[in-house]
Amino acid sequence: MFLNKIIDVKGCITQEKYVKGKSPGEIERILGFHSGRLSTGMVVAALSAIPTNDQFDLLGYTQVAEHRFDASKLKGLEVNNLKDILRKTVFTRYGLNRLIKIRPNTSHQNSMSDDDQYPPGLGVPQWKLKALIPAKVIAIVLPGQRYL
């Protein structure tokens, strides 16, 4: 992996402003990764395109992990209208509001329960990419470094 490489990303994303300048341990607590998950480093990639409505799902905030998110609570809401609003007013490709993917160097551990592996985070917005979206590697954070 190297800086400026274009990679395809999928899964949970957030905005850069919530993790910029933080240590891996702080990012774990913010996003809801188990302690030590980012201790071997991570890659930060900024989305190169704003996802279309059918390329992402609403996930709420990181204090509720994806496996605990109850999408049935969205019934009766105009989900596509909410997605349109996000795409027009929140999602961006520039500045600290840009959408990013944190890719831990330590992969998902099938031997751990989802509750242990993804504890409640501190509550920043998150969305789930259902489709692969190109993203540019903007940081490679090595063990012991902060995401600057």
Side-chain angles (χ1 to χ4, degrees):
M1 193 68 57
F2 52 90
L3 284 177
N4 300 317
K5 180 178 181 176
I6 303 298
I7 61 174
D8 289 326
V9 297
K10 194 175 175 180
C12 294
I13 59 171
T14 192
Q15 290 175 289
E16 185 175 29
K17 65 185 173 185
Y18 298 111
V19 295
K20 183 81 171 178
K22 307 290 189 219
S23 71
E26 290 170 316
I27 294 171
E28 288 168 352
R29 288 185 296 282
I30 291 166
L31 297 182
F33 286 120
H34 72 84
S35 180
R37 175 80 183 266
L38 300 177
S39 65
T40 60
M42 65 185 182
V43 170
V44 183
L47 272 61
S48 300
I50 300 298
T52 63
N53 286 5
D54 41 335
Q55 290 178 315
F56 76 99
D57 281 333
L58 305 176
L59 272 187
Y61 293 84
T62 59
Q63 76 264 34
V64 177
E66 176 188 355
H67 70 279
R68 292 280 180 192
F69 182 73
D70 184 359
S72 71
K73 301 219 181 210
L74 298 174
K75 288 191 185 221
L77 297 177
E78 295 292 333
V79 172
N80 272 326
N81 289 346
L82 292 171
K83 288 180 176 186
D84 286 339
I85 292 167
L86 284 168
R87 293 181 71 247
K88 291 175 185 168
T89 64
V90 176
F91 289 1
T92 182
R93 293 178 34 228
Y94 305 100
L96 289 177
N97 286 324
R98 67 182 162 179
L99 296 173
I100 61 163
K101 170 71 177 175
I102 301 290
R103 184 179 280 176
N105 288 348
T106 301
S107 61
H108 176 85
Q109 302 296 308
N110 290 329
S111 60
M112 290 180 74
S113 74
D114 284 343
D115 284 338
D116 289 335
Q117 195 155 192
Y118 303 105
L122 295 179
V124 301
Q126 66 178 347
W127 303 276
K128 182 178 181 180
L129 294 177
K130 302 186 298 182
L132 291 171
I133 303 286
K136 181 179 180 179
V137 174
I138 58 171
I140 297 170
V141 181
L142 300 175
Q145 294 181 335
R146 295 177 85 77
Y147 169 42
L148 301 174

PDB file of all heavy atoms in Angstrom, residues 70-86:
ATOM      1  N   ASP A  70     -30.801  -1.546  14.104  1.00  0.00           N
ATOM      2  CA  ASP A  70     -32.120  -2.074  13.755  1.00  0.00           C
ATOM      3  C   ASP A  70     -32.707  -1.242  12.612  1.00  0.00           C
ATOM      4  O   ASP A  70     -33.334  -0.207  12.842  1.00  0.00           O
ATOM      5  CB  ASP A  70     -33.030  -2.033  14.981  1.00  0.00           C
ATOM      6  CG  ASP A  70     -34.392  -2.655  14.734  1.00  0.00           C
ATOM      7  OD1 ASP A  70     -34.664  -3.117  13.602  1.00  0.00           O
ATOM      8  OD2 ASP A  70     -35.199  -2.669  15.687  1.00  0.00           O
ATOM      9  N   ALA A  71     -32.490  -1.704  11.371  1.00  0.00           N
ATOM     10  CA  ALA A  71     -32.965  -0.977  10.199  1.00  0.00           C
ATOM     11  C   ALA A  71     -34.484  -0.899  10.139  1.00  0.00           C
ATOM     12  O   ALA A  71     -35.037  -0.029   9.457  1.00  0.00           O
ATOM     13  CB  ALA A  71     -32.409  -1.620   8.929  1.00  0.00           C
ATOM     14  N   SER A  72     -35.175  -1.779  10.875  1.00  0.00           N
ATOM     15  CA  SER A  72     -36.638  -1.736  10.855  1.00  0.00           C
ATOM     16  C   SER A  72     -37.156  -0.413  11.452  1.00  0.00           C
ATOM     17  O   SER A  72     -38.270  -0.003  11.171  1.00  0.00           O
ATOM     18  CB  SER A  72     -37.232  -2.930  11.599  1.00  0.00           C
ATOM     19  OG  SER A  72     -37.027  -2.809  12.994  1.00  0.00           O
ATOM     20  N   LYS A  73     -36.341   0.239  12.249  1.00  0.00           N
ATOM     21  CA  LYS A  73     -36.745   1.530  12.826  1.00  0.00           C
ATOM     22  C   LYS A  73     -36.803   2.627  11.769  1.00  0.00           C
ATOM     23  O   LYS A  73     -37.323   3.708  12.031  1.00  0.00           O
ATOM     24  CB  LYS A  73     -35.806   1.926  13.954  1.00  0.00           C
ATOM     25  CG  LYS A  73     -35.795   0.886  15.042  1.00  0.00           C
ATOM     26  CD  LYS A  73     -35.740   1.484  16.387  1.00  0.00           C
ATOM     27  CE  LYS A  73     -35.704   0.339  17.347  1.00  0.00           C
ATOM     28  NZ  LYS A  73     -36.181   0.339  18.530  1.00  0.00           N
ATOM     29  N   LEU A  74     -36.275   2.349  10.592  1.00  0.00           N
ATOM     30  CA  LEU A  74     -36.325   3.319   9.504  1.00  0.00           C
ATOM     31  C   LEU A  74     -37.637   3.233   8.731  1.00  0.00           C
ATOM     32  O   LEU A  74     -37.921   4.098   7.911  1.00  0.00           O
ATOM     33  CB  LEU A  74     -35.150   3.100   8.534  1.00  0.00           C
ATOM     34  CG  LEU A  74     -33.749   3.286   9.120  1.00  0.00           C
ATOM     35  CD1 LEU A  74     -32.698   2.903   8.086  1.00  0.00           C
ATOM     36  CD2 LEU A  74     -33.545   4.704   9.607  1.00  0.00           C
ATOM     37  N   LYS A  75     -38.421   2.194   9.002  1.00  0.00           N
ATOM     38  CA  LYS A  75     -39.701   2.029   8.294  1.00  0.00           C
ATOM     39  C   LYS A  75     -40.583   3.238   8.565  1.00  0.00           C
ATOM     40  O   LYS A  75     -40.663   3.744   9.676  1.00  0.00           O
ATOM     41  CB  LYS A  75     -40.392   0.748   8.726  1.00  0.00           C
ATOM     42  CG  LYS A  75     -39.676  -0.459   8.182  1.00  0.00           C
ATOM     43  CD  LYS A  75     -40.485  -1.714   8.363  1.00  0.00           C
ATOM     44  CE  LYS A  75     -39.690  -2.829   7.937  1.00  0.00           C
ATOM     45  NZ  LYS A  75     -39.473  -3.804   7.443  1.00  0.00           N
ATOM     46  N   GLY A  76     -41.235   3.701   7.535  1.00  0.00           N
ATOM     47  CA  GLY A  76     -42.088   4.875   7.644  1.00  0.00           C
ATOM     48  C   GLY A  76     -41.342   6.166   7.355  1.00  0.00           C
ATOM     49  O   GLY A  76     -41.960   7.205   7.152  1.00  0.00           O
ATOM     50  N   LEU A  77     -40.014   6.105   7.336  1.00  0.00           N
ATOM     51  CA  LEU A  77     -39.227   7.282   6.973  1.00  0.00           C
ATOM     52  C   LEU A  77     -38.996   7.283   5.474  1.00  0.00           C
ATOM     53  O   LEU A  77     -38.948   6.231   4.840  1.00  0.00           O
ATOM     54  CB  LEU A  77     -37.882   7.271   7.700  1.00  0.00           C
ATOM     55  CG  LEU A  77     -37.916   7.356   9.216  1.00  0.00           C
ATOM     56  CD1 LEU A  77     -36.498   7.261   9.770  1.00  0.00           C
ATOM     57  CD2 LEU A  77     -38.574   8.643   9.679  1.00  0.00           C
ATOM     58  N   GLU A  78     -38.830   8.427   4.938  1.00  0.00           N
ATOM     59  CA  GLU A  78     -38.500   8.563   3.514  1.00  0.00           C
ATOM     60  C   GLU A  78     -36.990   8.413   3.361  1.00  0.00           C
ATOM     61  O   GLU A  78     -36.264   9.405   3.240  1.00  0.00           O
ATOM     62  CB  GLU A  78     -38.995   9.911   2.991  1.00  0.00           C
ATOM     63  CG  GLU A  78     -40.493  10.062   2.997  1.00  0.00           C
ATOM     64  CD  GLU A  78     -41.178   9.137   1.996  1.00  0.00           C
ATOM     65  OE1 GLU A  78     -40.546   8.771   0.973  1.00  0.00           O
ATOM     66  OE2 GLU A  78     -42.335   8.771   2.248  1.00  0.00           O
ATOM     67  N   VAL A  79     -36.510   7.170   3.368  1.00  0.00           N
ATOM     68  CA  VAL A  79     -35.074   6.893   3.377  1.00  0.00           C
ATOM     69  C   VAL A  79     -34.375   7.516   2.173  1.00  0.00           C
ATOM     70  O   VAL A  79     -33.305   8.110   2.321  1.00  0.00           O
ATOM     71  CB  VAL A  79     -34.807   5.371   3.483  1.00  0.00           C
ATOM     72  CG1 VAL A  79     -33.329   5.057   3.294  1.00  0.00           C
ATOM     73  CG2 VAL A  79     -35.299   4.846   4.824  1.00  0.00           C
ATOM     74  N   ASN A  80     -34.964   7.403   0.999  1.00  0.00           N
ATOM     75  CA  ASN A  80     -34.312   8.000  -0.169  1.00  0.00           C
ATOM     76  C   ASN A  80     -34.230   9.521  -0.053  1.00  0.00           C
ATOM     77  O   ASN A  80     -33.246  10.116  -0.483  1.00  0.00           O
ATOM     78  CB  ASN A  80     -34.996   7.585  -1.470  1.00  0.00           C
ATOM     79  CG  ASN A  80     -34.420   6.293  -2.005  1.00  0.00           C
ATOM     80  OD1 ASN A  80     -33.230   6.030  -1.857  1.00  0.00           O
ATOM     81  ND2 ASN A  80     -35.257   5.477  -2.604  1.00  0.00           N
ATOM     82  N   ASN A  81     -35.236  10.143   0.549  1.00  0.00           N
ATOM     83  CA  ASN A  81     -35.161  11.586   0.770  1.00  0.00           C
ATOM     84  C   ASN A  81     -34.048  11.922   1.761  1.00  0.00           C
ATOM     85  O   ASN A  81     -33.321  12.910   1.574  1.00  0.00           O
ATOM     86  CB  ASN A  81     -36.497  12.141   1.267  1.00  0.00           C
ATOM     87  CG  ASN A  81     -37.559  12.150   0.194  1.00  0.00           C
ATOM     88  OD1 ASN A  81     -37.280  11.997  -0.988  1.00  0.00           O
ATOM     89  ND2 ASN A  81     -38.800  12.325   0.609  1.00  0.00           N
ATOM     90  N   LEU A  82     -33.920  11.121   2.822  1.00  0.00           N
ATOM     91  CA  LEU A  82     -32.840  11.332   3.778  1.00  0.00           C
ATOM     92  C   LEU A  82     -31.477  11.169   3.101  1.00  0.00           C
ATOM     93  O   LEU A  82     -30.556  11.959   3.335  1.00  0.00           O
ATOM     94  CB  LEU A  82     -32.953  10.354   4.946  1.00  0.00           C
ATOM     95  CG  LEU A  82     -34.132  10.544   5.891  1.00  0.00           C
ATOM     96  CD1 LEU A  82     -34.219   9.378   6.863  1.00  0.00           C
ATOM     97  CD2 LEU A  82     -34.019  11.856   6.632  1.00  0.00           C
ATOM     98  N   LYS A  83     -31.357  10.165   2.248  1.00  0.00           N
ATOM     99  CA  LYS A  83     -30.106   9.957   1.525  1.00  0.00           C
ATOM    100  C   LYS A  83     -29.818  11.126   0.587  1.00  0.00           C
ATOM    101  O   LYS A  83     -28.673  11.576   0.477  1.00  0.00           O
ATOM    102  CB  LYS A  83     -30.146   8.640   0.748  1.00  0.00           C
ATOM    103  CG  LYS A  83     -30.061   7.417   1.646  1.00  0.00           C
ATOM    104  CD  LYS A  83     -30.101   6.146   0.802  1.00  0.00           C
ATOM    105  CE  LYS A  83     -29.927   4.908   1.631  1.00  0.00           C
ATOM    106  NZ  LYS A  83     -29.837   3.692   0.784  1.00  0.00           N
ATOM    107  N   ASP A  84     -30.852  11.640  -0.082  1.00  0.00           N
ATOM    108  CA  ASP A  84     -30.665  12.810  -0.956  1.00  0.00           C
ATOM    109  C   ASP A  84     -30.123  13.993  -0.162  1.00  0.00           C
ATOM    110  O   ASP A  84     -29.203  14.688  -0.614  1.00  0.00           O
ATOM    111  CB  ASP A  84     -31.986  13.217  -1.619  1.00  0.00           C
ATOM    112  CG  ASP A  84     -32.415  12.275  -2.732  1.00  0.00           C
ATOM    113  OD1 ASP A  84     -31.563  11.555  -3.278  1.00  0.00           O
ATOM    114  OD2 ASP A  84     -33.626  12.281  -3.044  1.00  0.00           O
ATOM    115  N   ILE A  85     -30.693  14.209   1.011  1.00  0.00           N
ATOM    116  CA  ILE A  85     -30.250  15.321   1.864  1.00  0.00           C
ATOM    117  C   ILE A  85     -28.793  15.129   2.268  1.00  0.00           C
ATOM    118  O   ILE A  85     -27.986  16.070   2.207  1.00  0.00           O
ATOM    119  CB  ILE A  85     -31.167  15.463   3.100  1.00  0.00           C
ATOM    120  CG1 ILE A  85     -32.559  15.929   2.663  1.00  0.00           C
ATOM    121  CG2 ILE A  85     -30.560  16.413   4.127  1.00  0.00           C
ATOM    122  CD1 ILE A  85     -33.630  15.806   3.739  1.00  0.00           C
ATOM    123  N   LEU A  86     -28.435  13.918   2.690  1.00  0.00           N
ATOM    124  CA  LEU A  86     -27.042  13.632   3.048  1.00  0.00           C
ATOM    125  C   LEU A  86     -26.117  13.904   1.874  1.00  0.00           C
ATOM    126  O   LEU A  86     -25.073  14.550   2.031  1.00  0.00           O
ATOM    127  CB  LEU A  86     -26.890  12.171   3.484  1.00  0.00           C
ATOM    128  CG  LEU A  86     -27.381  11.812   4.862  1.00  0.00           C
ATOM    129  CD1 LEU A  86     -27.444  10.303   5.031  1.00  0.00           C
ATOM    130  CD2 LEU A  86     -26.491  12.432   5.926  1.00  0.00           C
TER     131      LEU A  86
END
